[in-house]
């Protein structure tokens, strides 16, 4: 185990997958430039050569198709886009192609491609550099969708994604890249579709994903100090989704709050709640709750994003409301970081 | 293709054009340099792509289009917005995320627009605005207007499918489009040679698709002006699409205000070579060599006016108020 950043964990996962298997390739805009996609691809070209690690033309759609074509005959591409939003140009190849080919060709081919998409937020990223569209991908039969929140999970899930015989959309939140955690040095895998219990508790279930897990952990500590015991589940995978863990937790707590980094309508959180209502209605002692982004593009202005993001205080407040506790003021106790639009001092802008 | 009967600038007659070219270039540079000064103060909080080094082409275009012509641009759109007549105060306010910004603080540096001036927006997604420019041209045809649609794009954008698809349609319908490709050799930190075959020039692709094409030193603003002037006249008289590739170079980092020649994707020598080809300095030297001292003195006067105007725009933007936070949730639909 070594303490490394989330970004370094990604780098280490690709590195080990490439060392293990010559058919793994790694490409994307900037993959070999001096910044190496926020450090996540640094050093790989030198180690594995120009044929396996390469930059590409600004041709997202075709280059996704190229990866899919290669993967039909055994290549395992890891393709990266610095923003999910840039990848929207390639939806045809992903949705009409990669997701369906195994099915559509009667199981004769499979598409082991991994597509890393980075989710932006803050510093004026604005409407088209900040979209969390996990629900779109999860909606498509044939895709797997992964959304880790810790360095360890990032590594274990990325190696599993690379060696998964199916297309995997791997979503990395930009605000997580500099978070630090203990990560196993060697090849290790986390099964896609398994969630992780971060805290055991009895009063309420919180289901979280990606960057919101950081905020949920802050809220959980605060709630614990104030006598509320949270069962905190980090989803890690959006599809397949670990509904079993959610319903087991709900059986114990009777209350559920689902957090979501995406827009509210037709969101992953809405879907989780609908499944809970359909399958676990009898466990509920309180209506289920949701905190997701509003159905609004993320604005650019510093003035407009001030209370736009959901954070620990919003989570704590919602839980306290559900618990019927009104003696606490989490907005006062958990003040927003200043400035509110960067993940920390390390983030120097602009993207 | 070589443009044969290029209308040459008549240096005796066209002093006003020379002064105006200088004004547009110098003003763009002054605005961008002021951003360089202000950005570290962290009040401009959005990804910002500067046009320092690339002022020549927009300044040339400014002389040959009116507000009834359209233009559309990219993430690196400050110069194009200003050259097309975009309101300076509203642009700077937009960078600061203020209510009086051209997009009311919702879009930032990458979403500049001034509909009154025919500047129909910029996009943060590479290649995204190219078809929009063709659509603007289609509207001109449908309405029977004689104006043109100018589409700014970079050397990276021609790698997007939308470029071929748009150009093909523009050629098919002979639409009044002017594709202005500023080839600054890089897409972010990726040099051309990892993205395109080195022995092929970009404008030859457009030629193969059926557009009329030209290639020009974008840092030679007089040549750029003469080229664009001739071409715009042709488009206005029904030639159909033109694609012009301009060689140029961005001085500072891809996104942000620093220099970044040290990080290793390009050399200091390459930068110095291009800096010697500074479009403004080259132009001023030319004027100094060919004109009287009065002309040169006039330039200083233009400078003073520009600096004042730019200072004021920043002062106003800083003082302006942020939009009310509730505005984040409004105007998702047109009412
Ligand atoms: C579809 C898409 N892919 C990638 C990006 C990231 N990106 C932003 S600017 C840029 C460079 C484009 O290069 P070019 O068209 O030459 O314009 P320049 O920055 O040189 O002016 C890239 C790749 C993006 N914004 N959109
Ligand atoms: Mg370029």
């Amino acid at each position: 185990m070594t303490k490394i950043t989330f970004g370094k964990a990604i780098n280490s996962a690709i590195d080990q997958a490439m060392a293990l298997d010559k058919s793994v390739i790694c490409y994307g805009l900037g993959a070999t430039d001096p910044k190496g996609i926020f450090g996540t691809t640094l050093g790989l070209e030198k180690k594995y050569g120009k044929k396996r690690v390469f930059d590409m033309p600004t041709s997202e759609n075709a280059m996704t198709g190229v990866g899919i074509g290669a993967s039909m005959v055994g290549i395992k591409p890891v393709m990266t886009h610095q923003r999910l939003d840039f990848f929207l140009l390639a939806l045809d190849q992903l949705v009409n192609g990669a997701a369906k080919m195994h099915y559509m060709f009667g199981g004769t081919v499979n598409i082991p491609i991994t597509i890393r998409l980075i989710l932006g937020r803050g510093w004026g990223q604005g409407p088209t550099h900040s979209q969390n569209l996990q629900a779109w991908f999860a909606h498509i039969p044939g895709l797997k969708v992964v959304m880790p929140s810790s360095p360890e999970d990032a590594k274990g899930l990325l190696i599993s994604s690379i060696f998964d015989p199916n297309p995997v959309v791997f979503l990395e939140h930009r605000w997580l890249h500099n978070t630090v955690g203990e990560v196993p040095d060697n090849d290790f895998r986390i099964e896609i579709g398994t969630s992780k219990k971060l805290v055991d508790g009895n009063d309420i279930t919180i289901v979280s994903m990606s960057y919101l897990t950081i905020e949920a952990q802050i809220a959980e500590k605060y709630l614990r100090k104030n006598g509320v015991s949270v069962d905190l589940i980090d989803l890690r995978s959006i599809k397949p989704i670990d509904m079993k863990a959610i319903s087991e937790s709900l059986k114990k707590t009777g209350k559920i709050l689902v957090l979501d980094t995406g827009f509210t309508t037709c969101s992953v959180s809405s879907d989780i709640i609908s499944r809970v209502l359909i399958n676990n209605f009898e466990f509920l002692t309180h209506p289920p709750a949701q905190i997701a982004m509003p159905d609004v593009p993320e604005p650019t202005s510093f003035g407009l994003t001030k209370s736009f993001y959901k954070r620990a205080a919003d989570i704590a407040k919602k839980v306290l409301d559900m618990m019927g506790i009104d003696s606490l003021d989490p907005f006062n106790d958990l003040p927003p970081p200043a400035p509110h639009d960067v993940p920390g001092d390390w983030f120097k802008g602009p993207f | 293709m070589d443009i044969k009967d290029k209308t040459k600038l008549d240096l005796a007659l066209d002093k006003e054009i020379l002064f105006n070219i200088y004004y547009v270039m110098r003003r763009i540079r002054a605005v961008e340099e002021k951003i360089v000064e202000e950005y570290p103060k962290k009040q401009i909080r959005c990804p910002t792509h500067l046009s320092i080094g690339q002022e020549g082409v927009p300044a040339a275009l400014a002389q040959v289009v009116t507000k009834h012509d359209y233009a559309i641009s990219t993430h690196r759109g400050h110069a194009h917005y200003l050259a097309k007549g975009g309101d300076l105060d509203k642009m700077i306010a937009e960078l600061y995320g203020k209510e009086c910004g051209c997009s009311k603080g919702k879009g930032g540096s990458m979403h500049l627009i001034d509909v009154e001036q025919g500047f129909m927006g910029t996009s943060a997604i590479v290649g995204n605005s190219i078809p929009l420019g063709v659509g603007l041209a289609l509207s001109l045809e449908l309405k029977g207007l004689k104006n043109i649609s100018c589409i700014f794009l970079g050397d990276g954008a021609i790698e997007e499918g939308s470029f071929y698809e748009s150009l093909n349609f523009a050629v098919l319908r002979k639409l009044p489009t002017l594709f202005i490709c500023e080839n600054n050799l890089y897409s972010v930190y990726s040099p051309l040679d990892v993205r395109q075959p080195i022995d092929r020039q970009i404008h030859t692709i457009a030629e193969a698709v059926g557009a009329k094409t030209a290639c020009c030193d974008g840092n030679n603003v007089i040549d750029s002006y003469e080229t664009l002037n001739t071409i715009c006249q042709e488009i206005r008289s029904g030639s159909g699409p033109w694609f012009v590739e301009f060689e140029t170079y961005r001085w500072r980092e891809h996104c942000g205000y620093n220099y970044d020649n040290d990080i290793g994707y390009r050399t200091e020598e390459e930068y110095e070579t291009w800096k010697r080809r500074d479009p403004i300095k080259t132009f001023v030297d030319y004027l100094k060599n060919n004109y009287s001292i009065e002309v040169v003195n006039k330039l200083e006067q233009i400078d003073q006016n520009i600096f004042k105007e730019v200072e004021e725009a920043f002062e106003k933007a800083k003082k302006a108020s942020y939009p009310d936070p509730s505005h984040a949730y409004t105007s998702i639909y047109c009412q």
Side-chain angles (χ1 to χ4, degrees), chain A residues 178-249:
Chain A
N178 239 40
T179 56
V180 179
E182 295 280 348
V183 178
D185 300 317
N186 297 331
D187 168 27
F188 86 104
R189 319 223 176 157
I190 293 169
E191 195 187 330
I192 297 175
T194 59
S195 66
K196 184 172 172 182
K197 179 70 69 71
L198 297 183
V199 184
D200 246 312
N202 301 311
D203 295 334
I204 182 166
T205 303
I206 297 182
V207 179
S208 178
M209 64 176 70
S210 189
Y211 175 72
L212 269 177
T213 298
I214 305 284
E215 298 288 341
Q217 285 169 309
I218 299 171
E220 185 279 325
K221 275 198 196 90
Y222 169 78
L223 290 163
R224 187 171 1 135
K225 251 194 350 217
N226 288 289
V228 181
S229 160
V230 171
D231 214 38
L232 179 57
I233 297 171
D234 183 30
L235 277 176
R236 305 198 293 194
S237 294
I238 304 297
K239 191 176 195 175
I241 192 161
D242 193 353
M243 282 310 293
K244 190 160 162 274
I246 296 173
S247 59
E248 270 165 20
S249 168

Side-chain angles (χ1 to χ4, degrees), chain B residues 23-41:
Chain B
Y23 168 72
V24 176
M25 273 200 297
R26 195 65 197 87
R27 185 163 172 264
I28 294 167
R29 173 80 49 97
V31 169
E32 300 291 64
E33 284 183 337
K34 185 71 184 167
I35 295 171
V36 168
E37 191 186 316
E38 295 293 329
Y39 203 89
K41 298 179 189 164

Side-chain angles (χ1 to χ4, degrees), chain B residues 54 75-76 153-157 181-188 190 192 195 202 248 250 254:
Chain B
Q54 302 187 195
H75 57 284
R76 198 177 306 287
L153 67 162
D155 50 288
C181 179
E182 289 173 282
N183 179 0
N184 62 8
L185 311 178
Y186 295 90
S187 165
V188 191
S190 306
L192 270 172
R195 303 180 286 120
I202 288 173
T248 187
R250 97 175 123 72
H254 163 69

Side-chain angles (χ1 to χ4, degrees), chain B residues 266-323:
Chain B
R266 63 187 198 184
T267 63
E268 192 68 30
E269 296 79 70
E270 181 183 275
Y271 162 73
E272 288 296 342
T273 308
W274 277 94
K275 209 173 164 196
R276 279 192 289 278
R277 291 173 62 181
D278 177 358
I280 300 183
K281 189 176 176 301
T282 314
F283 183 72
V284 171
D285 287 347
Y286 169 83
L287 292 185
K288 280 184 179 163
N289 292 334
N290 291 281
Y291 287 92
S292 64
I293 187 76
E294 286 81 56
V295 167
V296 178
N297 288 344
K298 171 99 195 248
L299 300 183
E300 277 170 25
Q301 193 191 322
I302 294 174
D303 283 353
Q304 292 316 313
N305 293 342
I306 288 172
F307 294 141
K308 188 158 165 286
E309 189 193 5
V310 172
E311 281 299 324
E312 283 170 9
F314 277 77
E315 280 316 305
K316 277 186 263 183
K318 284 185 209 170
K319 284 200 195 111
S321 46
Y322 282 122

Side-chain angles (χ1 to χ4, degrees), chain A residues 155-187:
Chain A
K155 178 167 176 181
L157 281 164
L158 184 52
I159 300 182
S160 292
S161 301
I162 295 170
F163 292 116
D164 194 286
N166 299 289
V168 180
V169 179
F170 189 93
L171 302 171
E172 284 164 41
H173 201 290
R174 178 75 183 109
W175 281 29
L176 292 172
H177 274 141
N178 239 40
T179 56
V180 179
E182 295 280 348
V183 178
D185 300 317
N186 297 331
D187 168 27

Side-chain angles (χ1 to χ4, degrees), chain A residues 6 29-30 33 38 130 170 189 214 241 289 295 309 314 318-319 327 335 347:
Chain A
F6 189 101
L29 273 182
D33 80 20
F38 310 116
S130 63
F170 189 93
R189 319 223 176 157
I214 305 284
I241 192 161
D295 288 328
Y309 308 121
D314 298 277
K318 184 69 105 187
V319 169
S327 54
F347 187 88

